Amino acid sequence: MKFAGIIAEYDPFHNGHAWQLAQAKALGAERVAVAMSCSLVQRGALPLLPEAVRTRSALTCGADLVFALPAPCACAGAEAFARAGVALLAAAGCDGLVFGAETPDAALLMEAAELLDSDSYRAALKAQLAGGARSFAAARQAAAAQLASDERVAALLDKPNNNLAVEYCRAIRSLAPRMEAYPLPRQGADHGEALHSAHGQFASASALRKLWAEGGADAVAPYVPEAVFPLYQEAYSAGQYTDFSAAGRCELALLRSACRGQAPFADIRGVSEGLEHRLEAAVRTSTTYDELLDALTTVRYPRARMRRLAMDAALGFTADSLPALPSYLHLLGGKKDALPLLKNCALPVSHSLARLRGSGGASARMAEAQLAAADFGTLCRVSPEAMGGLLRQKNIFLT
């Protein structure tokens, strides 16, 4: 592996992320590119910190190029999220994908990916769902257990990072077969796990967001690289971080506004099985964002999926308006000596979203969706900003 790729959110960037970048170089990568969630993250929410802070953090700690994973691709289920990230990094020229997993066994993860791509698995999954499986996740694991020759394959699917790792492997199989998978063990806390002294200097991103909410930037200092911490202090002092209370109310306001039309959510991406009616009813009766999610969430419809659905509906992300995969590479920042790599990209590349939007077609639609998410995000910061900031944002080049 000479040119490693990493798909990340850096929400926020912490010691575990810095360790992963260092490991990519230790595995032989001369350069590392990151496809980073831009304006929205996979859990269906705004990121804590702006793209500029997260990009500079990554470049400071070892990344060479940072590309935007556009908001519609970032705010998506594991399969779509993984496919978009792999497609971006493959177009950038990466020959290896480095990612975290609870079970860092590349061969086993690829075996699981091959199973999930098989016709026999699809038939077994359909049967499980038709038979009244408790949830999609339960049906998925039961179908895999039914078919896998190695019981460890089905067991993989019981862990969140393993699930995403398998989706990365599926994306590699179909979109970038020359790319190698390099799974790494998670350091310290598991995904979503609370802080514990046994984790040392490593903490999950969700734990750090909670710490930030309770004590500001200073509270996360022990868990982020020393070189990055001043960026967090500056963002905190300037109010350049998300006010999640304001974000919830703004999102609910957008959803209420949409309810003035007929069948307002029928065309929203991810709608099925009458979910548009469930969403409209929840919007009409909810007075807080948490109430909305409580009304939508069931065993069949997990909270993360409902957060993504609500965000798609608030921003008007319809099923037929957005391409499944990015059609350009939006460069957020890079090391100056890595910029010659951009000459070999298989997709149009630019640091200017306005230029990419101007190319029309699928690129224009994706860029417009990205701008909608960015404008929503800047309004929901502690110190809100005017519209169009992403079009004026300067690129970040480090020597």
Side-chain angles (χ1 to χ4, degrees), residues 82-335:
R83 286 178 62 83
V86 167
L88 278 177
L89 294 172
C94 295
D95 60 355
L97 184 69
V98 178
F99 52 89
E102 291 92 353
T103 309
D105 183 327
L108 195 63
L109 292 167
M110 276 295 181
E111 184 179 343
E114 184 176 3
L115 174 65
L116 266 58
D117 283 335
S118 68
D119 291 337
S120 56
Y121 165 76
R122 284 188 280 271
L125 177 64
K126 185 176 180 180
Q128 288 288 338
L129 292 170
R134 182 171 54 89
S135 65
F136 178 83
R140 189 172 189 247
Q141 192 164 10
Q146 178 183 327
L147 297 171
S149 57
D150 187 335
E151 63 181 16
R152 295 179 300 164
V153 170
L156 284 176
L157 304 178
D158 193 37
K159 297 289 186 180
N161 284 283
N162 281 346
N163 264 294
L164 189 53
V166 170
E167 293 300 339
Y168 288 149
C169 291
R170 291 181 69 197
I172 288 171
R173 281 170 48 81
S174 64
L175 300 175
R178 294 184 179 181
M179 186 181 282
E180 293 289 331
Y182 292 88
L184 297 174
R186 281 187 62 87
Q187 294 299 299
D190 286 338
H191 174 77
E193 189 176 358
L195 288 173
H196 191 282
S197 59
H199 300 147
Q201 63 179 337
F202 296 104
S204 68
S206 58
L208 293 186
R209 292 192 297 272
K210 184 178 180 182
L211 275 181
W212 184 292
E214 295 169 349
D218 288 346
V220 305
Y223 307 102
V224 302
E226 185 177 351
V228 166
F229 181 57
L231 301 175
Y232 290 10
Q233 288 179 304
E234 183 179 350
Y236 185 76
S237 297
Q240 293 305 291
Y241 60 97
T242 299
D243 179 340
F244 288 106
S245 177
R249 181 163 291 189
C250 287
E251 186 173 338
L252 189 53
L254 288 172
L255 291 166
R256 283 190 173 191
S257 179
C259 281
R260 291 177 298 176
Q262 293 292 320
F265 305 124
D267 297 328
I268 295 301
R269 185 178 65 164
V271 161
S272 63
E273 302 173 328
L275 265 177
E276 68 271 29
H277 306 303
R278 185 182 184 88
L279 176 58
E280 183 177 358
V283 169
R284 291 184 179 279
T285 57
S286 299
T287 59
T288 69
Y289 179 68
D290 285 340
E291 279 184 13
L292 174 73
L293 293 182
D294 288 342
L296 290 170
T297 302
T298 65
V299 172
R300 187 171 184 82
Y301 300 121
R303 202 172 187 86
R305 180 184 172 187
M306 294 300 97
R307 281 198 301 265
R308 290 191 290 268
L309 177 69
M311 184 64 78
D312 281 356
L315 296 177
F317 292 172
T318 59
D320 59 356
S321 66
L322 296 169
L325 297 174
S327 53
Y328 56 73
L329 288 163
H330 178 201
L331 181 69
L332 297 176
K335 301 279 182 63

